[in-house]
Amino acid sequence: ARHVSFLLGALAGIGEGTYWPGINLSEYIATHATTRNLYYGKLFAVSNVASVVGLPLSGVTVAVAGHLATPRAGYYVLFGILVGMLLLTHRLGAGIDQWSGLRFGVRDFVEHARSREWRLVIAQNVLRGRWAYALPAYSAVLLYLIVRGELSLGLLSAVTTVLVGAASFVAGRTLQRRPTTFLLGAAVVPVGMLGFAYQQNWLGIACYVVLIMSFDPFAQNATYKAMY
């Protein structure tokens, strides 16, 4: 795959770009301003729990299929299952709240009159995207160098995912009652980033898991609601 990485990235980008705008619009229609904090709290909680369940199941699939056939066969089976799940996801997405009356053309990129709030949302997404995609890429390497082992890294990832799911659920309920608590995420996450950057040990891991990942849902959930 590394020989066609640019092509794979371009296809993935096109797929994400055509899938998520419709899903985000459907979320906007299906939810209400007074319930979106709870919605995102539950959504990210369930997503993280699903991630924890999916990791060991994937490992078992690779191991069993590889034992019955060739080692590579396990990955073929796993990716085949993932493709099937992706197609099912798109099928389920087609059944949520319908929307119509929207017309779009390529000229809208240039001619659309953007409000101040629109530009702020775009700028926020540009910055958030740099952070949200760079952090997992670099943190995975740093965490592996600290724990020194695939099993330890897998266990750490599972624990982190569970904590983030619980934190997201708590953040949703807390933001529903006290909207200003999004400041917890805005204030605590940068402190955790500094701690993780300067402490390449278990203290740094604690900063990553507790201060960064567990407090980020306060800012993230509030941000999604504010954008809508």
Side-chain angles (χ1 to χ4, degrees), residues 103-121:
R103 303 181 65 182
F104 173 77
V106 177
R107 291 186 301 177
D108 291 335
F109 281 113
V110 179
E111 297 178 357
H112 177 71
R114 295 169 176 84
S115 65
R116 176 178 178 274
E117 289 76 14
W118 177 289
R119 291 194 295 269
L120 283 174
V121 168

Side-chain angles (χ1 to χ4, degrees), residues 114-143:
R114 295 169 176 84
S115 65
R116 176 178 178 274
E117 289 76 14
W118 177 289
R119 291 194 295 269
L120 283 174
V121 168
I122 293 296
Q124 190 275 339
N125 274 271
V126 169
L127 295 176
R128 173 84 184 183
R130 299 291 185 273
W131 179 84
Y133 283 90
L135 178 64
Y138 286 104
S139 63
V141 177
L142 294 176
L143 291 173

Side-chain angles (χ1 to χ4, degrees), residues 61-223:
T61 300
V62 171
V64 172
H67 177 73
L68 296 177
T70 63
R72 184 170 292 186
Y75 291 95
Y76 290 151
V77 172
L78 176 61
F79 277 88
I81 294 174
L82 292 176
V83 169
M85 294 177 66
L86 184 61
L87 294 174
L88 177 60
T89 300
H90 283 262
R91 181 67 185 87
L92 293 173
I96 57 182
D97 283 3
Q98 304 242 336
W99 42 269
S100 61
L102 298 174
R103 303 181 65 182
F104 173 77
V106 177
R107 291 186 301 177
D108 291 335
F109 281 113
V110 179
E111 297 178 357
H112 177 71
R114 295 169 176 84
S115 65
R116 176 178 178 274
E117 289 76 14
W118 177 289
R119 291 194 295 269
L120 283 174
V121 168
I122 293 296
Q124 190 275 339
N125 274 271
V126 169
L127 295 176
R128 173 84 184 183
R130 299 291 185 273
W131 179 84
Y133 283 90
L135 178 64
Y138 286 104
S139 63
V141 177
L142 294 176
L143 291 173
Y144 180 80
L145 293 176
I146 295 173
V147 300
R148 298 185 180 279
E150 292 86 350
L151 178 59
S152 299
L153 182 61
L155 291 174
L156 176 62
S157 299
V159 171
T160 302
T161 305
V162 171
L163 288 176
V164 172
S168 183
F169 184 78
V170 172
R173 297 182 67 87
T174 304
L175 287 165
Q176 190 71 11
R177 297 192 303 269
R178 299 181 179 85
T180 56
T181 51
F182 78 90
L183 293 170
L184 280 173
V188 174
V189 171
V191 175
M193 292 287 289
L194 292 175
F196 185 48
Y198 286 103
Q199 297 291 329
Q200 296 302 299
N201 48 36
W202 284 100
L203 178 59
I205 290 179
C207 290
Y208 174 79
V209 174
V210 178
L211 300 184
I212 299 176
M213 302 304 294
S214 296
F215 276 88
D216 181 57
F218 283 92
Q220 177 177 314
N221 294 6
T223 298

